[in-house]
Amino acid sequence: MKAAESLRPTERPAALLRSLAHTLSGVERVETLAYVVLSLGAAFAGALAALLLVPLVQPGQALPFGGVLLDPRRSVELQAAAFAAATAAFALLRWQAARLGARLVGRYGMHLRRAVHARLIEAPLGSLADATSAEIANVLTHNVELIVQGFSALQQLLIAGVSAAVSLGFAFWVSPPLMLAAPVLMGLGLLASRAYGREQSLVARQYVVDMTRLFWHSEDFPRRLRHVRSFEREAAEQASYGAISARLCHGYRRQLELVASGRLLLELLAAAGIAALFVLAHRWRGVDQAELIAVCLLLGRLLPYLVATRQSFQQLRSAAPAFALWQRYMNLAPLHAPAAPSPTGAAGAALHIERMRFTPPPGGLEIGDLLLRPGELTLVCGDSGIGKSSLVDVLAGMVAPELFVAHRDGRPLDFDAYRALVRHGAYVSQEVRPWQHSVRECLRWAAPDASDALLRDALADVGLDRRLAEAPHGLDTALRDASSRLSGGELQRLLLAQVLLRQPFLVVLDEATSALDAASETAVLTALRRRLPQTILLVVSHRPGVAAVADQCLTIGNDLVATVIGKPVRGVARAGSPRPFE
């Protein structure tokens, strides 16, 4: 939320236009060019239809150009047919441009969502440390909608600009003297379009901030509701949510008011300009009625575009802070992809980490002489906030340490090579809940090619088979339906079944069995060891019972000294003595 509040988007739509243009793909740029060409054709057809009205409105009056097309001696039927043909061409070209524009807007929104989601997936964990899940949810959903609205507004501005250029060109062709007023009118229109611009930018920026706060209020609502009710703070939550809703209401209302005010200013200026044009035509010698009617019809076509232009500029200003937030996440440096695992050493060889240093915690933590053997379970324990999660992030290959000295099967191993080895891994934390629709979909997410028999075997190993056997839909049991919803412990078992199907090189369980009772936790961890004989198991837990199934315990003390203690070699207790490493 702090990041959203610190947004400083550009105040000028022109800068946003350049930024939006840079986000277009090659195909989108070609289609945008086609969109401009279709809009140009529609503008020509519309302007021609306006001119073809002149002999119908003023029979017998000829314009000083046009030849056969605008010949006033033709029959009324032919003149009406020509006008209808030009109007139909205008409607068809505008319809085709609208279809192409709709396709462009839809694809552009898809491109923005895919691009920022891909960048978030590739981002290092450290770069997301200051980002709230509410802000990220906003970036992936509503925030993109604001940018898409800005892109749609850009299309409308293109249409307005092309139509204005064509209409003014025809009007100048009809009567150059009358068009001497055009620069003055254009200046007044530009002045009106910039009115209230700064206030609109401030309102739009606050709107993005408040929408992020609204997402924050919606995070994990069922769990949050239990907390709120137990503290009897329903009224406070309603007041907080209501205050944000009121600010959003004010912001939305103020944006529409500013649009209406700008539209009023434009319409008043347009009325004054057209009135001045009539006065000029009557006082300027050499201007006849046909020319006056033609120019007024051509300029009258611009009035709807003039009003829409004001609204388009407002939408662009609203899109500016949303685009700034989107771009901030797009500027995250992607995580360096590890190379493919090298065939160094025999399968099942142990990893010996001689020295490893990382931060946080403040001051750093150093681990030495840690031996990770396939088929063995290492318990990581220590007080909260001592650095356990940072440790397993490094061991999972997701965060690079400051120092890393290791070898495998007698050969040195740098961190890139280590990360390539552990890339085929599985990381399950306490906070993660399955987001798939059904049990089958959740398991197939981990193993797309697994048969139903394999899925059921994995569920049996984690103790979830009986629960699903009693469910009417079996593997297709929905995870969100109230009638079949799994408990917290059952959801954790489901995630552990994913681990079994994955058959990873390294497993990290960060409090991933916290919702199970002690006996169930021991049974599930024992099953994991039995079913994954070639997998290194790392378990973060505060429960003393996990030590019973662990081969070694890595304890981080309050003095930030890490100690590795192994089980006795021949059943002889050696509590407190470090495990020997070969």
Side-chain angles (χ1 to χ4, degrees), residues 273-342:
I274 293 176
L277 194 62
F278 276 108
V279 172
L280 181 65
H282 282 287
R283 294 187 176 278
W284 197 293
R285 296 179 181 179
V287 177
D288 62 18
Q289 290 295 110
E291 293 177 0
L292 178 61
I293 291 172
V295 170
C296 288
L297 288 173
L298 288 169
L299 295 182
R301 290 187 65 248
L302 299 181
L303 286 179
Y305 294 110
L306 198 63
V307 174
T309 296
R310 174 65 190 173
Q311 187 167 357
S312 297
F313 273 109
Q314 189 274 336
Q315 287 179 326
L316 276 176
R317 290 192 176 97
S318 298
F323 185 79
L325 184 59
W326 178 88
Q327 202 168 39
R328 189 174 69 80
Y329 281 93
M330 284 299 299
N331 289 335
L332 295 175
L335 183 66
H336 175 65
S342 61

Side-chain angles (χ1 to χ4, degrees), residues 269-546:
L269 288 174
I274 293 176
L277 194 62
F278 276 108
V279 172
L280 181 65
H282 282 287
R283 294 187 176 278
W284 197 293
R285 296 179 181 179
V287 177
D288 62 18
Q289 290 295 110
E291 293 177 0
L292 178 61
I293 291 172
V295 170
C296 288
L297 288 173
L298 288 169
L299 295 182
R301 290 187 65 248
L302 299 181
L303 286 179
Y305 294 110
L306 198 63
V307 174
T309 296
R310 174 65 190 173
Q311 187 167 357
S312 297
F313 273 109
Q314 189 274 336
Q315 287 179 326
L316 276 176
R317 290 192 176 97
S318 298
F323 185 79
L325 184 59
W326 178 88
Q327 202 168 39
R328 189 174 69 80
Y329 281 93
M330 284 299 299
N331 289 335
L332 295 175
L335 183 66
H336 175 65
S342 61
T344 304
L351 289 171
H352 184 191
I353 300 176
E354 299 173 23
R355 288 186 65 195
M356 181 174 67
R357 180 178 175 81
F358 56 88
T359 54
L365 181 63
E366 186 164 322
I367 307 294
D369 281 338
L370 175 62
L371 191 63
L372 302 175
R373 289 191 177 96
E376 293 191 355
L377 188 153
T378 298
L379 171 63
V380 179
C381 54
D383 291 341
S384 298
I386 206 71
K388 300 188 299 298
S389 294
S390 299
L391 168 62
V392 294
D393 280 346
V394 172
L395 292 176
M398 296 185 182
V399 176
E402 299 172 3
L403 173 67
F404 187 84
V405 180
H407 65 263
R408 183 181 186 230
D409 197 29
R411 300 186 182 218
L413 199 68
D414 62 16
F415 188 71
D416 285 339
Y418 170 82
R419 188 169 57 176
L421 281 173
V422 302
R423 188 178 186 183
H424 184 74
Y427 192 126
V428 183
S429 65
Q430 179 182 6
E431 292 82 8
V432 173
R433 298 172 68 86
W435 57 89
Q436 294 82 10
H437 176 70
S438 66
V439 171
R440 186 194 303 275
E441 185 181 338
C442 180
L443 296 178
R444 285 276 174 82
W445 181 85
D449 300 325
S451 64
D452 284 1
L454 284 177
L455 300 185
R456 291 190 177 92
D457 287 343
L459 293 172
D461 284 324
V462 299
L464 201 53
D465 52 333
R466 291 183 181 178
R467 167 69 169 83
L468 293 178
E470 297 171 355
H473 300 292
L475 290 174
D476 294 314
T477 297
L479 298 178
R480 297 183 178 89
D481 290 352
S483 59
S484 59
R485 185 177 295 139
L486 302 183
S487 67
E490 289 168 337
L491 290 175
Q492 287 191 338
R493 291 177 189 267
L494 185 59
L495 293 176
L496 295 175
Q498 282 186 336
V499 173
L500 289 174
L501 292 168
R502 168 79 165 155
Q503 294 287 309
F505 178 83
L506 173 73
V507 171
V508 174
L509 304 179
D510 189 356
E511 301 283 355
T513 54
S514 59
L516 302 177
D517 58 78
S520 299
E521 182 180 50
T522 300
V524 169
L525 292 177
T526 301
L528 287 175
R529 288 190 57 187
R530 184 181 70 254
R531 286 289 306 275
L532 301 173
Q534 300 300 319
T535 298
I536 298 170
L537 298 171
L538 293 171
V539 178
V540 178
S541 178
H542 293 91
R543 291 182 172 178
V546 179

Side-chain angles (χ1 to χ4, degrees), residues 46-68:
L48 183 59
L51 292 179
L52 287 170
L53 268 177
V54 174
L56 291 172
V57 174
Q58 196 78 357
Q61 293 292 325
L63 289 172
F65 65 92
V68 178

